[in-house]
Amino acid sequence: MFANISARYDLLNHLLSGSLDKRWRLKVARLLAGVVSSDGIILDVACGTGDLAFALLETTGARVVGTDFCRPMLAVAQRKGSKHDNRVPFVEGDALNLPFPSNSFDGVTIAFGLRNLASFAGGLKELLRVTRPGGGVVVLEFSKPTLPGFRSLFQFYFHRVLPLLGGAVSGSKSAYEYLPNSVARFPDQGELAALMREVGFEKVEYSNLTGGVAAIHFGKKPE
Ligand SMILES: C[S@@+](CC[C@H](N)C(=O)[O-])C[C@H]1O[C@@H](n2cnc3c(N)ncnc32)[C@H](O)[C@@H]1O
């Protein structure tokens, strides 16, 4: 599915979110800048076409590695990498079985990736495994809008308008029907925070983005 939409993925992200996606990724990068020093190393899991990896590189000054299991998405990321002096290596890998040793990264991120995994707890455990003790993990993911009126309006857009627009531009309506359905199956803000604590993260906190359309969750690996 991601291979089919890779060529139009960036365009659709910006179009369907009114470019809010860029602002959300920048927030993640700024959060990581307070956690990882410029001589540290960050892994961006399910990196797709690389936008968060590049934001992390420019904002934190740390080394950044991107990984994803979809080769066509990585090919787009690699092409875009030339604008960033090809400083981000992109590595093919499954988020549920990452091709990196334990305790290797000062910071680990996953943006709009966790929701796609066969096991959310399994994915979180794998992020925790590759993080060094004391390091931080950030999950950026769609969530549940908190205000009832806004929630109904957003649900109408997300379930009715977005599949039509996304389908027309990408040529894959099913991918943009999958998007709201996968978000509906995903834990809300509080449930995701609880799951992170359950698998072993500490100091878990989250903040809502755009009224809870998305949320940023942060957790630390215990020292
Ligand atoms: C919605 S895109 C998000 C891409 C990027 N992080 C962003 O912010 O735009 C989801 C990505 O997750 C990747 N993905 C899904 N399941 C995966 C898995 N098991 N292992 C690695 N990548 C996975 C897909 O290939 C796709 O690139």
Side-chain angles (χ1 to χ4, degrees), residues 121-143:
L124 289 170
K125 280 184 195 159
E126 192 58 357
L127 301 180
L128 197 59
R129 181 185 70 76
V130 297
T131 307
R132 70 155 172 80
V137 172
V138 177
V139 179
L140 168 61
E141 191 50 91
F142 286 107
S143 205

Side-chain angles (χ1 to χ4, degrees), residues 2-3 9-10 13 21 25 44-52 67-70 73 93-96 110-113 115-118 140:
F2 287 106
Y9 177 78
D10 285 348
N13 268 352
D21 64 311
R25 289 194 194 87
D44 182 34
V45 177
C47 66
T49 57
D51 278 359
L52 178 57
T67 183
D68 198 287
F69 74 172
C70 177
M73 293 290 265
D94 182 355
L96 289 169
I110 185 164
F112 308 112
R115 144 183 71 83
N116 302 300
L117 305 184
L140 168 61

Side-chain angles (χ1 to χ4, degrees), residues 16 156-168 172-173 176-177 180:
L16 297 173
F156 177 78
Y157 168 73
F158 210 44
H159 287 268
R160 299 290 167 89
V161 181
L162 181 142
L164 294 177
L165 263 177
S172 171
K173 188 160 178 246
Y176 287 87
E177 284 169 344

Side-chain angles (χ1 to χ4, degrees), residues 16-92:
L16 297 173
S17 76
S19 284
L20 279 173
D21 64 311
K22 293 184 194 170
R23 220 187 293 173
W24 294 343
R25 289 194 194 87
L26 197 59
K27 278 212 163 189
V28 173
R30 289 191 178 136
L31 176 60
L32 258 283
V35 175
V36 177
S37 59
S38 55
D39 59 356
I41 180 161
I42 301 171
L43 177 68
D44 182 34
V45 177
C47 66
T49 57
D51 278 359
L52 178 57
F54 300 131
L56 289 165
L57 182 76
E58 302 301 341
T59 310
T60 65
R63 282 184 295 149
V64 179
V65 177
T67 183
D68 198 287
F69 74 172
C70 177
R71 206 173 286 178
M73 293 290 265
L74 288 178
V76 176
Q78 233 131 19
R79 273 200 298 279
K80 286 157 64 179
S82 59
K83 278 197 205 139
H84 303 268
D85 301 325
N86 298 310
R87 278 182 293 155
V88 180
F90 289 102
V91 179
E92 200 172 312

